[in-house]
Amino acid sequence: MNIEQIFENNKKWVAKQLQTNEHYFDELGKGQNPEFLYIGCSDSRVSAEELMGLQPGNVFVHRNIANMVPNTDLNSMSVINYAVMHLKVNHIVVCGHYGCGGVHAAMQQSDLGILNPWLRNIRDVYRIHRKELDVLTNEEDKYKRLVELNVQEQCINIIKTAEVQKANTERSLKVYGWIFDIHTGNLIDLNIDFDAILKDIMAIYKITD
């Protein structure tokens, strides 16, 4: 694969879209009205729209290493603000995946330079859930469970935000935690109990009336 091939692929894609719908790009240019905000990993093997079976315009996407949502990260916080307050999405999905290099790196005791501050957020997840993780003797089981717990903690970080609390009150916005099983192609719903988490954390993290 080279740059020239990318542009050839683009021409073929444009022709295919126009063959199916001659007004495709006119409609695309009118704007976006997505129902979903998808927060996923930057891993090149995981494509948000494709795995969800959605088309351009249906899902607003934010991706970074290991699908993190640190409350101090202005990038992810700005994405959430725009998606919730301006695009009016009604569903926020945090989607992790088995085979995540970021989570695997966070489990190693090694200095990874500029990645250290980012991976520290995943190591914090391990610290919070250390009792559960340390009883797992199989490293692969431990790794997969940390992938799941990381998704759970990022969902909690999202629920802490004022925008999400307000949107939940106004239009019942919900947050979901999913895993993409890269070995089977299946999406797994972690069944994050949004209402229970919201109720549990409101004593500390309630921001809106």
Side-chain angles (χ1 to χ4, degrees), residues 2-15:
N2 54 45
I3 297 298
E4 289 75 15
Q5 185 62 54
I6 296 293
F7 282 92
E8 284 301 316
N9 291 346
N10 173 253
K11 290 178 182 178
K12 293 177 182 177
W13 176 75
V14 169

Side-chain angles (χ1 to χ4, degrees), residues 36-40 52 91-95 174-178:
F36 293 87
L37 166 59
Y38 172 99
I39 299 175
M52 295 172 73
H91 311 280
I92 300 178
V93 173
V94 178
C95 188
K174 292 291 191 295
V175 178
Y176 310 85
W178 296 350

Side-chain angles (χ1 to χ4, degrees), residues 108-152:
Q108 311 307 307
Q109 293 182 334
S110 57
D111 184 352
L112 295 171
I114 191 64
L115 286 175
N116 287 336
W118 191 258
L119 297 179
R120 194 175 299 132
N121 295 291
I122 308 173
R123 290 172 176 145
D124 284 340
V125 174
Y126 194 114
R127 175 178 53 79
I128 293 169
H129 298 278
R130 185 173 181 176
K131 288 184 179 179
E132 176 184 347
L133 291 166
D134 281 352
V135 299
L136 300 175
T137 56
N138 183 285
E139 284 300 308
E140 182 64 18
D141 291 342
K142 183 181 294 187
Y143 164 60
K144 291 175 73 173
R145 184 56 181 150
L146 182 55
V147 168
E148 296 168 355
L149 290 170
N150 184 52
V151 168
Q152 176 181 302

Side-chain angles (χ1 to χ4, degrees), residues 40-46 62-67 97:
C41 184
S42 296
D43 194 299
S44 62
R45 300 166 295 175
V46 185
H62 175 67
R63 297 171 67 177
N64 59 46
I65 295 174
N67 41 270
H97 68 96

Side-chain angles (χ1 to χ4, degrees), residues 54-70:
L54 298 177
Q55 297 298 315
N58 296 143
V59 54
F60 195 61
V61 178
H62 175 67
R63 297 171 67 177
N64 59 46
I65 295 174
N67 41 270
M68 302 300 295
V69 193

